[in-house]
């Protein structure tokens, strides 16, 4: 029988962390050996630690999955890599200096590290398919739709999609050359001549539609995340993949064929 992958999750009470705990408990070759939280205790049979160094010493994990806040995540990632423990990082908001430091530690210690700002496999495929389509269509509008508690607009995924499209699309300022907004903002944000529109409504979670137009046809590529379980396939894939990695990967798109 294959050896189980020993996993520690940081942030187990959070919205993402609690889904990750459920996911790990449901996969037969994953074993949840420890949790890192602000409070000590036990969750079922799993010990909770307030410091990652103690946690690593006691539980000897293969992989740390971090779903916390940037300050804690950097410390957790750094400590794990220094101890030769592989890292799957879902926490967003780390600075480029912090990411570079994690990259350096991962490469120097030959310890796998996957950092993925979007674990939804469908969202990553949507971006990849959009990049493919952009080779054949110059006209594209991105419509991203999120819950009304989201603070940033447009979403990081919409910007990343536009960046990937830009790699293939011949630059073009879209719409009529003389078009005029009678209501400011009605044509959305301008990214290299393509347009990005942000919708914010209660009831939505995370959705994006990329629309390409050409003579007599349109092509729409759409992804919907209905809840946080949508991110767990990506977390699972990252844990499995990081076990065979001894260096650093940024972005789920780089581990999907
Ligand atoms: P959340 O519900 O606020 O959960 C964060 C958890 O981390 C909370 O339980 C918090 O505890 C805990 N925490 C804070 N400091 C800690 C520390 N020092 N040690 C251990 N735990 C600590 O947030 P969320 O929605 O789950 O999101 C978590 C992270 O994942 C965010 O950075 C978010 O942007 C990111 N995210 C990533 C993806 C992706 O696909 N990669 C998708 C969604 C979200 P307290 O509540 O007690 O402070």
């Amino acid at each position: 029988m294959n050896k189980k992958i020993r996993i520690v999750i940081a942030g187990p009470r959070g919205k993402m962390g609690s889904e990750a705990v459920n996911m790990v408990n449901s996969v037969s070759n994953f074993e949840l050996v420890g949790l890192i939280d602000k409070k000590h205790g036990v969750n079922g049979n799993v010990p909770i630690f307030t410091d990652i160094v103690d946690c690593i010493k006691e539980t000897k994990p293969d992989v740390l999955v971090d779903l916390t806040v940037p300050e804690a995540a950097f410390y957790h990632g750094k400590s794990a890599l220094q101890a030769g423990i592989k890292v799957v990082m879902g926490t967003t908001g780390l600075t480029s200096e912090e990411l570079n430091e994690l990259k350096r530690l991962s490469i120097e210690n030959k310890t796998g590290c996957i950092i993925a700002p979007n674990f939804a496999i469908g969202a990553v495929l949507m971006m990849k398919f959009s990049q493919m389509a952009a080779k054949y269509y110059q006209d594209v509008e991105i419509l991203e739709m999120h819950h009304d508690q989201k603070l940033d607009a447009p979403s990081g995924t919409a910007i990343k999609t536009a960046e990937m499209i830009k790699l293939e699309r011949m630059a073009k300022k879209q719409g009529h050359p003389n078009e005029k907004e009678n209501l400011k903002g009605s044509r959305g944000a301008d990214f290299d001549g393509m347009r990005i529109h942000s919708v914010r409504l209660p009831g939505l979670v995370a959705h994006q539609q990329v629309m390409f137009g050409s003579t007599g046809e349109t092509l729409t590529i759409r992804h919907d995340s209905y809840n946080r379980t949508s991110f767990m396939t990506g977390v699972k894939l990252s844990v499995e993949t990081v076990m065979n990695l001894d260096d650093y990967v940024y972005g789920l798109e780089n581990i999907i064929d």
Side-chain angles (χ1 to χ4, degrees):
M1 207 175 82
N2 280 345
K3 199 174 149 284
K4 288 193 177 198
I5 302 175
R6 297 172 62 80
I7 299 167
V8 158
I9 295 176
R13 276 179 302 112
K15 292 183 280 296
M16 285 288 283
S18 52
E19 290 293 347
V21 167
N22 293 339
M23 182 277 290
V24 168
N25 283 333
S26 72
V27 177
S28 60
N29 67 325
F30 286 1
E31 186 179 358
L32 187 61
V33 294
L35 298 167
I36 302 168
D37 204 337
K38 289 176 176 169
K39 305 171 192 163
H40 262 298
V42 188
N43 178 327
N45 292 327
V46 184
I48 303 173
F49 299 83
T50 53
D51 192 84
I52 184 164
V53 176
D54 299 335
C55 177
I56 288 175
K57 221 182 277 169
E58 293 282 321
T59 63
K60 299 188 175 40
D62 297 306
V63 183
L64 161 76
V65 175
D66 192 282
L67 297 159
T68 59
V69 292
E71 311 76 61
F74 179 58
Y75 171 65
H76 291 158
K78 214 171 125 174
S79 310
L81 292 172
Q82 279 165 343
I85 307 302
K86 295 168 188 288
V87 171
V88 170
M89 175 73 67
T91 307
T92 56
L94 275 77
T95 64
S96 46
E97 289 77 28
E98 289 172 336
L99 292 173
N100 281 338
E101 176 64 3
L102 295 181
K103 181 177 181 178
R104 186 188 68 76
L105 282 170
S106 160
I107 294 169
E108 232 173 66
N109 295 332
K110 295 189 173 46
T111 304
C113 175
I114 296 177
I115 302 200
N118 197 331
F119 278 124
I121 290 188
V124 173
L125 290 175
M126 169 196 59
M127 290 189 257
K128 284 201 162 202
F129 294 158
S130 300
Q131 182 178 355
M132 280 169 70
K135 206 168 169 179
Y136 306 98
Y137 295 90
Q138 255 186 307
D139 290 83
V140 51
E141 306 244 340
I142 299 172
L143 184 64
E144 60 95 339
M145 297 154 276
H146 283 83
H147 57 87
D148 62 346
Q149 299 306 302
K150 187 169 177 58
L151 295 174
D152 54 320
S155 67
T157 300
I159 295 172
K160 174 84 178 156
T161 309
E163 286 169 353
M164 288 170 71
I165 286 174
K166 190 180 168 190
L167 297 174
E168 300 292 340
R169 170 183 172 271
M170 281 217 313
K172 177 181 179 184
K173 182 160 175 20
Q174 291 176 197
H176 194 284
N178 299 329
E179 81 180 3
K180 174 169 158 266
E181 285 183 328
N182 291 325
L183 208 51
K184 194 173 164 344
S186 43
R187 288 290 291 121
D190 186 330
F191 185 105
D192 198 38
M194 61 185 122
R195 297 288 171 165
I196 305 180
H197 310 268
S198 296
V199 176
R200 297 290 175 265
L201 282 174
L204 293 172
V205 179
H207 316 259
Q208 182 170 294
Q209 188 163 303
V210 184
M211 290 184 72
F212 295 90
S214 184
T215 316
E217 60 165 346
T218 62
L219 169 68
T220 301
I221 300 168
R222 180 176 169 121
H223 176 258
D224 298 274
S225 273
Y226 297 109
N227 56 46
R228 283 176 176 76
T229 54
S230 64
F231 299 115
M232 293 306 131
T233 338
V235 178
K236 177 173 179 280
L237 177 68
S238 300
V239 169
E240 289 162 346
T241 308
V242 85
M243 286 301 291
N244 299 315
L245 268 188
D246 57 10
D247 61 359
Y248 175 91
V249 172
Y250 185 88
L252 204 65
E253 62 276 14
N254 296 311
I255 63 170
I256 293 176
D257 288 337

